[in-house]
Amino acid sequence: MCSSFEPHDDLVAPDNPVERALLGGEPRYRKADVARLAGVELARAERLWQAMGFAHVAPEAVVFTDFDVDAMRTVDKLVSAEVIPPELETAVARSLAQTMSRLAEWQLGIFKAVLGDTFATDIETTAEVAEAILPVMENLQGYVWRRHLSAIAARELDEADTGPEEPTVVVGFADIVGYTRLVRDYSERELARLIDDFEDLVTRVIAENHGRIVKTVGDEVLFVADTVRDGAEIALSLNENVAREPDLPPLRIGLAHGTVLARFGDVYGSTVNIASRLTTLARPSSVLVDRECAAGLRSESDFVLTSLGPNKVSGFRGLRAWALRRSE
């Protein structure tokens, strides 16, 4: 690497072979050095660093590697080439960080479970295992990312001629009943197993019925589907599958149909809010749908709708709901 100064050796962070293995190199630079080498303003570099969710770094701390310099250069090139609009660069960094942070926590949990006590007591062995596993995980992540990117691109291309800027979808929430009590009564291991079983089931059922998971937050999953029929099948199948699992508590589910703002992998708007409100109104093992979903399902002989009339819900005056079930 060409530079007008030498990397710092006097203030290098404490030697930790595990961190060194994971970062892929030795800490060599202060944050001002990274900004200078990447050709960006220090304030911009700090803003991106914080958007990615990393802690504040003191000016004199030498904690950055060549990879940090390369990453900053890459962001700058993407903005310069107008691949990323300048006003969105921090939002892009924040969205990427939220996804990768959760993935990293999950992977580290697996790593610790595999190594057991070795993780904390034998740093050298832990570093060796990390160096061996990291390339494999990177390849697997690249494969999954490409597959998802391909699937999303194909869907967007199919809808390119008719799809509005704000797509019309079915938004659904599925919420575990009594989760607060479970947190209080279950051990951490029992709760982790329940969440794993819940996420495994909802992932399978939603994929089988042509839906897509937007995100899971503890006891709740937010999903979308392109048609009201697919949304209805997902909701009813979720409750049916949960009923066959004695260790899983029942779900309450709400569905709403309408336009959403899709932004960085998440969805926003009144349709999302209505689905969330309907979920809070639903009884255990039931599905509530809004007016638009009900209108789209009335011609479907497989389903039965029961009007519950208007409900008093904060922010939605006279919100109407229909209970959805399969026909006998």
Side-chain angles (χ1 to χ4, degrees):
M1 175 182 296
C2 296
S3 67
S4 58
F5 61 93
E6 293 297 323
H8 300 283
D9 294 320
D10 54 334
L11 292 170
V12 173
D15 183 38
N16 184 323
V18 176
E19 289 187 48
R20 187 169 63 247
L22 295 175
L23 291 175
E26 295 281 357
R28 307 175 69 202
Y29 307 111
R30 299 183 177 103
K31 58 184 178 183
D33 303 332
V34 174
R36 191 179 307 123
L37 285 168
V40 304
E41 294 181 357
L42 177 58
R44 180 185 175 195
E46 288 186 310
R47 186 169 63 250
L48 289 169
W49 178 258
Q50 292 171 0
M52 287 185 284
F54 299 126
H56 172 73
V57 176
E60 69 277 7
V62 180
V63 297
F64 298 102
T65 71
D66 291 330
F67 283 99
D68 294 295
V69 177
D70 290 341
M72 192 62 64
R73 284 175 174 159
T74 298
V75 171
D76 186 51
K77 288 178 181 178
L78 290 173
V79 172
S80 298
E82 299 183 347
V83 175
I84 299 176
E87 66 273 13
L88 291 182
E89 67 174 9
T90 53
V92 171
R94 185 168 56 249
S95 178
L96 181 62
Q98 290 170 353
T99 301
M100 299 309 292
S101 174
R102 184 176 182 188
L103 178 63
E105 287 192 19
W106 169 75
Q107 290 172 336
L108 186 61
I110 293 178
F111 193 49
K112 291 171 66 178
V114 170
L115 288 175
D117 293 339
T118 301
F119 179 81
T121 59
D122 189 342
I123 299 300
E124 293 296 336
T125 298
T126 299
E128 291 175 5
V129 175
E131 288 182 335
I133 290 178
L134 201 62
V136 178
M137 296 302 297
E138 284 182 328
N139 288 337
L140 180 59
Q141 287 171 194
Y143 161 76
V144 175
W145 170 69
R146 283 180 177 273
R147 271 292 176 182
H148 276 292
L149 193 62
S150 173
I152 294 170
R155 186 170 64 248
E156 292 293 327
L157 289 171
D158 287 342
E159 299 173 354
D161 293 336
T162 59
E165 183 176 348
E166 293 188 344
T168 301
V169 296
V170 176
V171 177
F173 279 92
D175 180 48
I176 296 176
V177 175
Y179 183 74
T180 302
R181 177 184 56 78
L182 295 175
V183 171
R184 184 180 65 246
D185 296 343
Y186 277 30
S187 68
E188 289 186 5
R189 179 172 296 182
E190 290 172 329
L191 188 61
R193 185 167 59 248
L194 182 144
I195 294 299
D196 286 343
D197 291 344
F198 168 66
E199 293 188 352
D200 180 67
L201 185 148
V202 298
T203 299
R204 172 173 52 81
V205 170
I206 291 171
E208 287 175 350
N209 292 282
H210 315 294
R212 303 178 295 284
I213 291 179
V214 176
K215 61 184 175 183
T216 58
V217 183
D219 62 326
E220 188 174 62
V221 59
L222 167 60
F223 63 90
V224 295
D226 293 327
T227 69
V228 289
R229 182 176 182 85
D230 286 342
E233 280 291 343
I234 290 170
L236 294 172
S237 296
L238 282 173
N239 278 337
E240 291 161 358
N241 277 266
V242 166
R244 292 194 288 267
E245 298 292 337
D247 295 332
L248 283 178
L251 307 178
R252 52 169 62 94
I253 301 175
L255 297 177
H257 184 232
T259 59
V260 297
L261 171 63
R263 181 178 172 84
F264 300 120
D266 210 340
V267 289
Y268 305 88
S270 61
T271 304
V272 180
N273 294 337
I274 290 172
S276 178
R277 298 297 191 278
L278 290 174
T279 304
T280 63
L281 294 173
R283 294 181 177 179
S285 303
S286 72
V287 178
L288 295 186
V289 304
D290 72 340
R291 185 193 307 272
E292 285 70 24
C293 278
L297 292 170
R298 285 198 180 94
S299 60
E300 301 282 351
S301 60
D302 298 341
F303 307 114
V304 174
L305 294 161
T306 303
S307 176
L308 303 182
N311 295 272
K312 293 182 179 180
V313 179
S314 176
F316 294 92
R317 296 184 60 183
L319 175 64
R320 295 187 62 86
W322 283 258
L324 173 69
R325 61 181 177 85
R326 294 195 189 277
S327 59
E328 299 295 335

